[in-house]
Amino acid sequence: MNSERNAAMPTVSREQAKRYMLIRQGLLGRHRFVGKAGAYQYVRQAGCIQYDPVDVCSRNAELTLQSRVKGFTKNTLAELLYRDRLLVDYSDKELSIWPREDWPYFSGYRERSRELGESFEGIPELEKRAIAYIREHGPVSSDTLPIGGTVYWHSSMHWSGNWHGQSQAARSVLEQLYADGVLLIHHKSGSRKYYDLAEKYFDAALLRAANPCADEADFVAWRVARRIGAVGMLWNRRSDAWLGIRMNTDQREQAFDALGRAGRITPVRVEGIGTPMYILTQDAALLDAVLRDEADTKARLEFLAPLDPMLWDRKLIEALWDYKYSWEIYTPAAKRKYGYYVLPMLCGQELVGRIEAAADRKTNTLVVKNVWFEPGVRQTKKLDGMIDAAVKRLAKLNECGRVEGRG
């Protein structure tokens, strides 16, 4: 960004920056997102939310929406994905869920996938067999598609890592066709995916729509702006918020510069933080309302998902909130500071602690294993009551009739 634009940067306090981010996220004030329409509205605002299959006290995407959307249930998301088809399971920031309307933007993903698939011996022929079978018999999983044996294969989707080698043929061809955009996930049964032909659910105009981005640099800029909007406020530096975007430092700098010249992002200086922050220019009115103390700041207590968009840049969270969060799911048990699946606890505009809870499906009981408070947090009756209410909401999300470990 040039010096003229930087000189015009508004300056905000850390408290104002926190307030702005939380209101933008729908985590502070009265619920802006309500019911199924609200869940869809939030995903559109965020661009994407991460999907993770681990289900300890609900999956990451469900926890992300439950903290923001009044009246959210697991069925709310399932309907948006698999009945209404307004949302899509696909790659973005790792495995993600994003709006169907963004399908044309990811045409490059699908083109790269098709090119890679054609390079694997046997895959093109297996694709023809799989498509013919699905067209005749309907949705299939890797267990029900009658293709046996193994093939040498790996996915083009970045979240699959660098693994390559012999793989079950049925699973490989289904995932290849899914990455190609020929198949969609029809539904899931637990962690098992069932696939069907995309042409049954998306009209030809959408499936064949040209990418709105002029070139790769334009696509990178679009994604950078999307991630800024997802977090609410971001800086131009290395960040986990950019995961899944194929760009180096120079390309990121170019994206920020292009977005600034187009007036799509606005720089903001936060007191005590040397690096400029950026918000979407379309959100400047909200920042102004925060600065004028005109925004709704009614306090709520919410549990945040481990991969919640607000937590995508944990160094930013530490800089603003002085709160360190590490998802310890992959940390050996002996080295964990807290627990296997621990959720940050937000009260009002402060991160006041964290909670570890697990749903016991056999007894329909939500077990609260532990609650940790940040240093200096006063454990009042009001705070305790807000935590109990949030635990009850979490139990309801998990269809648990009992809570164990609180009260």
Side-chain angles (χ1 to χ4, degrees), residues 123 126 142 150-154 163 165-178:
I123 286 291
L126 290 179
S142 58
T150 62
V151 291
Y152 182 87
W153 176 87
H154 69 86
W163 180 90
Q166 291 298 124
S167 173
Q168 181 192 15
R171 181 181 69 83
S172 298
V173 71
L174 289 174
E175 291 194 12
Q176 178 66 51
L177 287 167
Y178 165 63

Side-chain angles (χ1 to χ4, degrees), residues 120-310:
F120 293 117
E121 184 178 355
I123 286 291
E125 181 57 36
L126 290 179
E127 288 180 328
K128 294 176 184 177
R129 288 174 54 190
I131 290 170
Y133 184 86
I134 295 169
R135 184 163 282 129
E136 181 176 355
H137 298 280
V140 298
S141 70
S142 58
D143 282 353
T144 62
L145 181 66
I147 291 178
T150 62
V151 291
Y152 182 87
W153 176 87
H154 69 86
S155 174
S156 64
M157 287 187 168
H158 62 86
W159 43 263
S160 295
N162 294 320
W163 180 90
H164 55 86
Q166 291 298 124
S167 173
Q168 181 192 15
R171 181 181 69 83
S172 298
V173 71
L174 289 174
E175 291 194 12
Q176 178 66 51
L177 287 167
Y178 165 63
D180 292 352
V182 175
L183 299 182
L184 296 176
I185 295 177
H186 178 268
H187 70 280
K188 291 176 183 172
S189 178
S191 60
R192 184 167 301 283
K193 294 172 285 192
Y194 288 78
Y195 299 89
D196 203 355
L197 296 170
E199 65 190 27
K200 293 183 181 179
Y201 307 96
F202 290 178
D203 60 42
L206 179 65
L207 290 175
R208 298 171 186 167
N211 193 326
C213 296
D215 51 30
E216 187 65 19
D218 194 23
F219 179 51
V220 168
W222 176 79
R223 299 187 76 190
V224 166
R226 202 165 177 251
R227 299 291 173 87
I228 293 171
V231 178
M233 180 181 288
L234 268 175
W235 41 26
N236 179 9
R237 53 188 280 186
R238 290 183 64 182
S239 170
D240 284 347
W242 314 128
L243 284 176
I245 304 178
R246 298 182 180 185
M247 66 178 179
N248 56 31
T249 300
D250 287 344
Q251 289 170 318
R252 189 185 72 240
E253 294 283 355
Q254 291 166 12
F256 269 85
D257 189 59
L259 291 168
R261 284 187 282 104
R264 294 174 60 192
I265 59 174
T266 297
V268 176
R269 180 176 286 108
V270 179
E271 292 175 354
I273 298 177
T275 305
M277 301 292 182
Y278 295 86
I279 66 171
L280 296 181
T281 302
Q282 68 191 44
D283 295 325
L286 173 58
L287 182 60
D288 288 342
V290 168
L291 297 180
R292 294 193 304 269
D293 289 326
E294 294 177 355
D296 179 7
T297 58
K298 180 179 173 61
R300 303 186 344 235
L301 191 142
E302 304 289 356
F303 304 141
L304 302 184
L307 301 174
D308 191 288
M310 202 186 86

